[in-house]
């Protein structure tokens, strides 16, 4: 592994922090680009009250000088504005351990296994860290990493394919079409699907319910041969799937045709190979989603993720009291009805980090200058 990311921070603690280690020296990094991605992650129809409080902006503490990476660990923080309202319970030394205790585990949440695993009697200890607030750090780090990829013309983009029962009908969305998702409150590239998705979210909110969905990430401009077929832990699709599955709420990942592809015979699924002087080896289809044998094949990378509905329901499911074991309603905390659009931005970041790691493995060097020579 060339690039390592450590994140820390409780959802209502002072800040979300991170250390990104392994970036080569001399990569130009823009704060405006990082903050732009942090703002994209905060948007999305279906978010709750918290996003009105936060205005995520990065503070870089080390590893950069004059907008260039130094090759040293890049440490950063994104303050939680909401901490002011939670100080009484969340202060690292003075915090009141009886503050807003949680003892009714939410089905589908980390609450119960987390409390059992760490011998906690208060599930607040679990939910503070398992919260998707942590993804702020991954988006910041992903944006730093992706700024290296963009020097080499590699672009990462995403869109939302489904929210609950509402889905885009268009099977294949081209990379250039993804831009339209930026103007959509649900990150959809289709106005009709957008309308239906918003309606589904409104209905779920009224019912005190939540919704999941499907996101798609595409990456353009990748060279052939990132990752490797030579050993299981070098396969790029394995690394991408693992990284994406680690995003809060993600329950499924597929590459290219994924689950749809398994229904068809091989003759319909594999992408025939052509050659011409201008483009070299090329394909007219991309069922493989840009990966063959655990390596990039030069086509656009296409990955989809399924996100489950958020487990915090305003109309709660049944659970048992952690202490008395009596039947009870699950805990209700302020939360989002749907965070699928935000998850798409997080997925872009996670893909950016994984690809930068793979890129550094292939072209890796101490400095940007050396990397450019190897790339050439
Ligand atoms: C989250 C619950 C909500 C979300 C939060 C994730 O926060 P709160 O409990 O403060 O209302 O808004 O997401 C974020 C804070 C974020 O930045 O994305 C949860 O329990 O996972």
């Amino acid at each position: 592994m060339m690039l390592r990311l450590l994140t820390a921070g409780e959802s209502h603690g002072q800040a979300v922090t991170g250390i990104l280690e392994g970036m080569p020296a001399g990569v130009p990094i823009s704060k405006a680009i990082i903050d732009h991605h942090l703002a994209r992650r905060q948007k999305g129809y279906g978010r709750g009250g918290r996003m009105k409080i936060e205005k995520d902006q990065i503070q870089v503490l080390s590893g950069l000088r004059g907008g260039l990476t130094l090759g040293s660990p890049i440490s950063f923080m994104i303050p939680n504005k909401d901490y002011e309202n939670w100080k009484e319970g969340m202060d690292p030394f003075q915090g009141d351990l009886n503050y807003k205790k949680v003892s009714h585990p939410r089905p589908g949440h980390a609450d119960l296994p987390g409390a059992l695993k760490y011998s906690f009697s208060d599930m607040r200890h679990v939910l503070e860290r398992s919260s998707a607030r942590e993804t702020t750090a991954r988006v910041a780090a992903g944006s730093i990493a992706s700024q290296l990829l963009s020097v080499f013309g590699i672009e990462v983009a995403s869109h939302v394919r489904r929210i609950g029962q509402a889905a885009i009908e268009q099977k294949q969305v081209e990379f250039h079409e993804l831009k339209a998702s930026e103007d959509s409150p649900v990150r959809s590239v289709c106005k009709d699907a957008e309308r239906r998705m918003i309606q589904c979210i409104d209905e779920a909110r009224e019912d005190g319910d939540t919704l999941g969905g499907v996101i798609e990430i595409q990456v353009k401009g990748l060279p052939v041969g990132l990752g490797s077929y030579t050993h299981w832990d070098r396969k790029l699709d394995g690394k991408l799937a693992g990284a994406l599955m680690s995003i809060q709420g993600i329950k499924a990942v597929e590459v290219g045709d994924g689950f749809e592809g398994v229904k068809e015979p091989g003759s319909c699924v594999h992408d025939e190979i052509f050659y011409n002087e201008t483009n070299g080896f090329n394909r007219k289809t991309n069922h493989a989603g840009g990966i063959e044998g655990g390596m990039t094949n030069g086509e656009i990378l296409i990955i989809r993720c399924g996100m489950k509905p958020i487990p915090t329901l305003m109309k709660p499911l049944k659970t048992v009291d952690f202490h008395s074991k009596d039947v009870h309603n699950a805990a209700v905390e302020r939360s989002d009805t749907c965070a699928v659009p935000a998850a798409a931005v997080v997925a872009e970041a996670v893909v950016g980090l994984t690809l930068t790691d793979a890129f550094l493995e292939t072209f890796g060097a101490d400095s940007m200058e050396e990397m450019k020579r190897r790339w050439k």
Side-chain angles (χ1 to χ4, degrees):
M1 193 189 282
M2 306 293 288
L3 196 63
R4 293 183 292 172
L5 172 65
L6 264 182
T7 72
E10 277 70 46
S11 182
H12 304 101
Q14 294 169 74
V16 177
T17 64
I19 301 180
L20 184 63
E21 197 278 328
M23 285 288 284
V27 184
I29 301 296
S30 148
K31 174 170 162 37
I33 294 177
I34 303 169
D35 287 343
H36 169 68
H37 289 296
L38 291 176
R40 288 172 74 229
R41 193 200 69 91
Q42 286 201 264
K43 288 198 277 189
Y45 198 81
R47 292 284 242 160
R50 177 74 183 272
M51 289 304 104
K52 293 191 180 76
I53 299 172
E54 304 298 339
K55 191 172 186 310
D56 294 340
Q57 291 192 334
I58 195 168
Q59 293 177 16
V60 174
L61 307 173
S62 71
L64 295 184
R65 250 195 101 196
L68 290 175
T69 56
L70 296 170
S72 53
I74 300 171
S75 59
F76 61 86
M77 63 184 270
I78 299 119
N80 289 324
K81 290 193 188 300
D82 207 14
Y83 176 61
E84 281 308 309
N85 308 318
W86 288 77
K87 227 175 181 166
E88 190 188 333
M90 294 303 293
D91 183 282
F93 295 107
Q94 308 301 329
D96 176 1
L97 289 172
N98 288 316
Y99 186 82
K100 295 195 183 183
K101 278 184 125 169
V102 178
S103 51
H104 304 130
R106 288 159 288 181
H109 200 277
D111 291 343
L112 183 57
L116 293 171
K117 176 175 168 67
Y118 289 99
S119 305
F120 292 148
S121 63
D122 177 9
M123 278 167 264
R124 169 139 323 269
H125 296 338
V126 178
L127 72 89
E128 283 294 335
R129 180 58 187 160
S130 58
S131 163
R133 179 79 191 138
E134 182 265 349
T135 61
T136 309
R138 285 200 261 182
V139 168
S143 167
I144 294 171
S146 294
Q147 289 186 52
L148 183 152
L149 296 177
S150 68
V151 172
F152 298 92
I154 298 165
E155 292 173 64
V156 185
S158 69
H159 71 123
V160 169
R161 292 199 58 90
R162 167 182 293 280
I163 288 179
Q165 292 299 316
I168 181 173
E169 272 154 27
Q170 191 180 335
K171 274 210 158 135
Q172 213 176 314
V173 175
E174 302 297 328
F175 188 85
H176 68 85
E177 294 179 87
L178 297 180
K179 239 190 169 126
S181 68
E182 296 302 321
D183 303 321
S184 164
V186 285
R187 299 193 57 77
S188 171
V189 298
C190 163
K191 283 286 160 204
D192 176 57
E194 172 186 298
R195 186 185 49 74
R196 289 182 283 113
M197 287 172 185
I198 288 175
Q199 195 180 334
C200 282
I201 295 171
D202 286 340
E203 284 167 12
R205 190 192 286 112
E206 270 168 42
D207 291 348
D209 220 324
T210 56
L211 288 178
V214 176
I215 57 188
E216 181 174 276
I217 305 100
Q218 294 193 17
V219 187
K220 192 184 154 192
L222 289 167
V224 177
L226 297 186
S228 176
Y229 66 92
T230 56
H231 194 250
W232 67 266
D233 60 1
R234 293 186 184 279
K235 290 174 194 264
L236 186 62
D237 40 4
K239 289 183 182 182
L240 285 164
L244 286 162
M245 199 65 109
S246 79
I247 299 171
Q248 290 80 343
I250 300 298
K251 292 297 253 184
V253 179
E254 59 179 18
V255 182
D257 283 1
F259 280 104
E260 280 299 310
V262 303
K263 300 175 193 163
E264 306 291 337
S267 55
C268 301
V269 166
H270 298 299
D271 306 299
E272 288 187 309
I273 301 168
F274 301 89
Y275 184 86
N276 62 42
E277 287 297 323
T278 333
N279 300 324
F281 294 107
N282 65 82
R283 294 158 177 86
K284 295 191 186 354
T285 54
N286 186 13
H287 298 289
I291 294 197
E292 287 172 314
M295 297 166 291
T296 50
N297 65 4
E299 301 296 321
I300 287 180
L301 179 69
I302 303 174
I303 308 180
R304 294 175 182 186
C305 302
M307 184 187 196
K308 70 182 178 185
I310 289 168
T312 311
L313 307 187
M314 295 303 132
K315 199 164 78 187
L317 292 172
K318 285 279 173 278
T319 188
V320 292
D321 183 280
F322 191 62
H323 308 287
S324 71
K325 318 295 186 290
D326 290 341
V327 175
H328 211 282
N329 283 339
V332 178
E333 287 242 340
R334 175 190 64 191
S335 189
D336 307 315
T337 306
C338 175
V340 175
V345 178
V346 178
E348 284 179 17
V350 160
V351 166
L353 283 163
T354 311
L355 291 176
T356 303
D357 181 50
F359 198 85
L360 290 170
E361 261 175 13
T362 301
F363 301 102
D366 301 319
S367 71
M368 200 61 182
E369 228 170 88
E370 201 180 331
M371 254 182 116
K372 280 182 178 165
R373 273 202 303 274
R374 290 194 189 182
W375 168 263
K376 215 167 158 189

